[in-house]
Amino acid sequence: MKITPILLVLFFMYFPFSGNGQNSEKNSTVKFHTEWLVADLLQQNSKQIKILGQPKLVDSPYGKAVSFNGSSDALILQEMPLKSMKEFTVEMIFCPDINASFEQRILHIGEVLGNRMLLEIRAVTDIWYFDGFAASGNNKKALINEQLTHQLGQWYHVALVVSPNSLTTFVNGKKELSESFSYQPIGTGNCSIGVRLNKRSWFKGMIYKIRIVPQQLNPDDFMIY
């Protein structure tokens, strides 16, 4: 049978391409998204990715991940995946290590000190707690509660959901914090993985995957982990 352009269009309408190779009912409502396997970023020979220190490939329960030493390892991406997004969800699968610094910035997207969002943790002895941060115009908000603790040295899924009027955080699909917030799209900046863009507050641990979706996801639509 001859395949016409019209048939191709109809095919992709009913069988959309998924960047991560998954075709599951769980993710059927997710729009086009950015997805980074951090191990792939480390191995890319790209001028858009700058490697700081010597982050290492390691095995994880999910596949190859990247280990960061907490003092000099990071990836800097000349990319701005949040540009023009009025709402979004940022997810990450990671394992924070023991014997690390208290303040750790794991993912920073946007400007260094201006409009930006960050996924952060605070580590104390053998536990950590999550911090989802956003800055938009004159508004800044950190969703953090030192009572919501988790064990270091284990794998977790975390998510920050940003809407035009709220911020919400999740750990392993469980809602932790939510507050009102007036958000305007971030237009400029870059990304850093493993440290703040100004090279402070290094992360110690492993990261498997990061996903950014231009919509507010419910836990049922989070990445499979």
Side-chain angles (χ1 to χ4, degrees):
M1 180 181 70
K2 184 177 180 180
I3 299 177
T4 67
I6 292 176
L7 287 174
L8 285 173
V9 170
L10 290 173
F11 176 84
F12 286 111
M13 285 176 63
Y14 284 95
F15 302 98
F17 173 74
S18 174
N20 60 5
Q22 296 176 345
N23 185 16
S24 66
E25 183 178 351
K26 180 176 182 180
N27 291 303
S28 61
T29 62
V30 174
K31 299 177 183 177
F32 175 79
H33 59 273
T34 296
E35 186 170 288
W36 294 323
L37 287 169
V38 183
D40 289 349
L41 295 179
L42 181 62
Q43 297 177 94
Q44 285 183 23
N45 183 17
S46 172
K47 294 181 179 179
Q48 302 301 310
I49 302 174
K50 182 178 180 180
I51 300 173
L52 304 181
Q54 295 182 319
K56 295 177 174 59
L57 288 176
V58 294
D59 292 324
S60 81
Y62 315 98
K64 288 295 183 181
V66 175
S67 176
F68 299 83
N69 67 3
S71 60
S72 59
D73 294 343
L75 302 177
I76 308 297
L77 282 61
Q78 303 300 312
E79 189 171 344
M80 183 50 207
L82 298 179
K83 189 173 183 179
S84 302
M85 289 186 186
K86 297 179 180 180
E87 60 182 28
F88 60 87
T89 300
V90 179
E91 304 173 78
M92 179 173 64
I93 297 173
F94 80 123
C95 177
D97 206 351
I98 60 174
N99 300 321
S101 300
F102 172 60
E103 293 188 1
Q104 301 180 56
R105 272 67 174 182
I106 311 174
L107 176 66
H108 182 161
I109 303 177
E111 301 169 1
V112 174
L113 296 174
N115 296 335
R116 63 199 188 276
M117 64 73 47
L118 291 97
L119 301 184
E120 313 177 15
I121 65 168
R122 303 292 185 268
V124 182
T125 312
D126 61 346
I127 60 173
W128 67 276
Y129 48 98
F130 190 34
D131 180 1
F133 176 87
S136 179
N138 295 323
N139 301 316
K140 297 180 182 179
K141 181 79 69 174
L143 295 188
I144 187 169
N145 185 333
E146 62 184 12
Q147 303 300 316
L148 300 174
T149 61
H150 312 276
Q151 290 293 312
L152 291 167
Q154 300 179 18
W155 284 93
Y156 295 90
H157 172 280
V158 295
L160 173 64
V161 180
V162 179
S163 79
N165 52 29
S166 67
L167 303 178
T168 307
T169 55
F170 295 83
V171 175
N172 285 349
K174 182 179 179 181
K175 182 178 176 180
E176 288 207 331
L177 298 169
S178 185
E179 293 189 25
S180 60
F181 182 78
S182 179
Y183 175 77
Q184 297 295 323
I186 300 173
T188 58
N190 295 305
C191 304
S192 60
I193 300 173
V195 73
R196 280 186 61 167
L197 276 169
N198 59 358
K199 301 175 185 177
R200 298 180 60 183
S201 303
W202 302 80
F203 167 67
K204 184 180 181 184
M206 297 173 282
I207 307 174
Y208 170 65
K209 186 188 289 188
I210 296 167
R211 186 173 76 157
I212 303 164
V213 179
Q215 65 191 100
Q216 302 171 57
L217 295 185
N218 295 314
D220 286 345
D221 292 314
F222 286 164
M223 291 189 292
I224 297 173
Y225 56 94

